[in-house]
Amino acid sequence: MKLYLAPLQGYTESYFRNAFSRYFDSFDHSIAPFIPAGRGDTIRTSRIRDLLHENNDKMPVDPQIIGKYAPEFIPLAKYLYDYGYKTLNINMGCPISSIAKKMRGSGILTYPEMVEMLLEKLFAEVPNEISLKVRLGYFNKDELKVLMPIFNQFPLKELIVHPRLGKQMYEGTPDLDAFAWCLKNSKAPLIYSGDIFSVKAMNDLQKQFPKQEKWMIGRGVIYDLFLPQEIKYGKLEKSDKRVLFAQFHQALLEEVIKYRNRPRNQLNKMKEYWGYFSRQFDHYKEIHYKLTRTETLEEFEDLSSQVLKSEKWRDQPIIDRPMSE
């Protein structure tokens, strides 16, 4: 089994990957949150800050680009290749409507000719290996059935499939029959992505797809930091979780402070994380409310430390907040 960390914009950037890798070895690989494809050949360092070698410690990562026209991709792809990133992931899965309406992310899936032209140009002109992250389509799953023969024309390194439609966002449940169809019809190796929120969910998926080896977890690890570890190595005691979470949390705070210059931005980012972290505790609503009312990092550190020392862990976190994956 190989586990991949999904690209979650605003959550799985290098500061999270670095902090996570200090205490857990459960992810074999990761895809970075997307960089918009741009215009022109000049690539500013600030644009790839999340991918700079000095900002990445241990977890292997592939860059991800979102766009629709090959000329926007090519300069950035070549730059990343020369910098050391030999694989490039193309985002054809983002469901956010403002992005999809511009024929980017999952919105491009309704335009097979555009997808084919994009891949033809990329495979002809960039040295990177290419993987795709897709959904079943934007409006209906027949869109992927039209696209699969196109994908199969090219030597894709991997095809990451989230078996929902773009218009669904994260409503409903993943279409496992559609994923089974993908397994039968894709020439590229598949990675499953979507709704792995518990060890039981992972075990059920593995039973249904016993030959599937590669799995992607995104929202699940933000809700439950220990989920990938327990999937791979077995259940952790709550006392161990308390110690590990405190160590990870301190490392994450240090990474966020290093990555973000302004104290207000640092504080707000940690509050965003706790919108999900708090769901691991019994009194999560009260915990989250109190943390969002803190005014300084020092006040936030004191309160979060108290939570980690005294609040009771839930057996399963509350999964009740949306997040783009």
Side-chain angles (χ1 to χ4, degrees):
M1 173 186 287
K2 289 188 177 181
L3 296 183
Y4 288 60
L5 175 63
L8 302 180
Q9 212 74 16
Y11 292 93
T12 61
E13 279 82 359
S14 59
Y15 40 84
F16 179 88
R17 299 193 299 267
N18 290 343
F20 189 91
S21 295
R22 288 196 206 179
Y23 300 101
F24 304 98
D25 61 354
S26 45
F27 282 117
D28 300 282
H29 208 81
S30 62
I31 307 293
F34 68 74
I35 305 168
R39 296 179 180 176
D41 295 337
T42 301
I43 310 298
R44 294 183 179 180
T45 302
S46 58
R47 192 172 169 199
I48 64 160
R49 186 183 180 194
D50 183 54
L51 297 164
L52 295 176
H53 296 318
E54 60 265 31
N55 290 337
N56 288 275
D57 282 9
K58 297 178 181 178
M59 192 183 295
V61 61
D62 291 338
Q64 183 184 85
I65 301 179
I66 193 168
K68 59 182 177 180
Y69 298 127
E72 299 174 339
F73 281 84
I74 290 168
L76 182 55
K78 290 181 176 179
Y79 183 93
L80 290 168
Y81 184 87
D82 291 340
Y83 189 66
Y85 288 104
K86 305 309 180 187
T87 299
L88 182 68
N89 181 260
I90 308 301
N91 184 319
M92 295 185 182
C94 180
I96 297 173
S97 60
S98 60
I99 291 175
K101 286 176 182 178
K102 297 177 182 178
M103 295 182 286
R104 292 174 170 83
S106 61
I108 200 173
L109 299 176
T110 62
Y111 302 93
E113 297 87 357
M114 183 178 290
V115 171
E116 187 170 14
M117 286 190 293
L118 173 61
L119 293 177
E120 282 178 350
K121 283 282 189 181
L122 291 181
F123 276 96
E125 299 191 34
V126 305
N128 319 65
E129 289 188 289
I130 293 174
S131 67
L132 304 180
K133 190 173 190 296
V134 305
R135 288 199 169 209
L136 300 177
Y138 188 78
F139 293 108
N140 65 77
K141 59 186 177 183
D142 288 337
E143 292 169 22
L144 188 59
K145 290 183 178 179
V146 172
L147 287 166
M148 191 63 78
I150 295 173
F151 294 159
N152 287 341
Q153 294 175 32
F154 302 96
L156 295 172
K157 182 177 181 180
E158 291 167 331
L159 183 63
I160 304 166
V161 178
H162 183 125
R164 279 189 175 94
L165 298 173
K167 69 175 184 178
Q168 285 183 273
M169 294 292 289
Y170 295 95
E171 296 179 359
T173 58
D175 187 336
L176 300 184
D177 289 338
F179 184 76
W181 181 90
C182 292
L183 281 172
K184 291 179 181 178
N185 290 278
S186 173
K187 289 184 178 180
L190 291 191
I191 300 173
Y192 174 92
S193 175
D195 287 23
I196 300 177
F197 292 129
S198 67
V199 175
K200 181 182 183 304
M202 181 72 259
N203 290 342
D204 289 346
L205 284 166
Q206 190 74 80
K207 287 177 184 177
Q208 185 160 351
F209 305 110
K211 294 183 179 180
Q212 177 63 24
E213 296 181 350
K214 298 179 179 181
W215 308 89
M216 177 168 278
I217 300 175
R219 293 171 293 155
V221 72
I222 307 299
Y223 277 112
D224 184 355
L225 184 73
F226 310 100
L227 175 60
Q229 201 77 3
E230 292 191 323
I231 286 172
K232 274 202 167 182
Y233 306 115
K235 190 171 180 61
L236 288 165
E237 296 297 327
K238 290 182 179 180
S239 57
D240 295 330
K241 288 184 177 183
R242 196 178 295 276
V243 172
L244 280 169
F245 196 103
Q247 292 172 332
F248 161 80
H249 189 262
Q250 183 59 37
L252 179 62
L253 179 60
E254 292 170 3
E255 291 285 343
V256 167
I257 289 172
K258 183 171 65 175
Y259 195 88
R260 292 175 168 246
N261 296 326
R262 298 179 181 178
R264 176 57 60 179
N265 289 344
Q266 296 162 358
L267 176 61
N268 288 341
K269 176 49 60 180
M270 294 303 296
K271 287 180 180 180
E272 287 178 22
Y273 276 113
W274 271 89
Y276 299 91
F277 292 166
S278 62
R279 267 62 184 167
Q280 297 178 91
F281 299 94
D282 272 357
H283 303 295
Y284 68 95
K285 290 183 179 179
E286 181 181 346
I287 290 169
H288 187 217
Y289 178 82
K290 288 181 178 179
L291 285 168
T292 58
R293 296 303 182 269
T294 57
E295 295 292 335
T296 66
L297 271 177
E298 291 76 16
E299 185 183 356
F300 175 87
E301 284 188 81
D302 288 343
L303 183 54
S304 59
S305 179
Q306 291 174 28
V307 169
L308 293 173
K309 288 178 182 176
S310 60
E311 291 291 339
K312 185 178 179 182
W313 289 88
R314 297 181 57 84
D315 291 327
Q316 177 69 22
I318 301 294
I319 312 294
D320 65 346
R321 303 188 76 214
M323 179 186 288
S324 180
E325 177 182 331

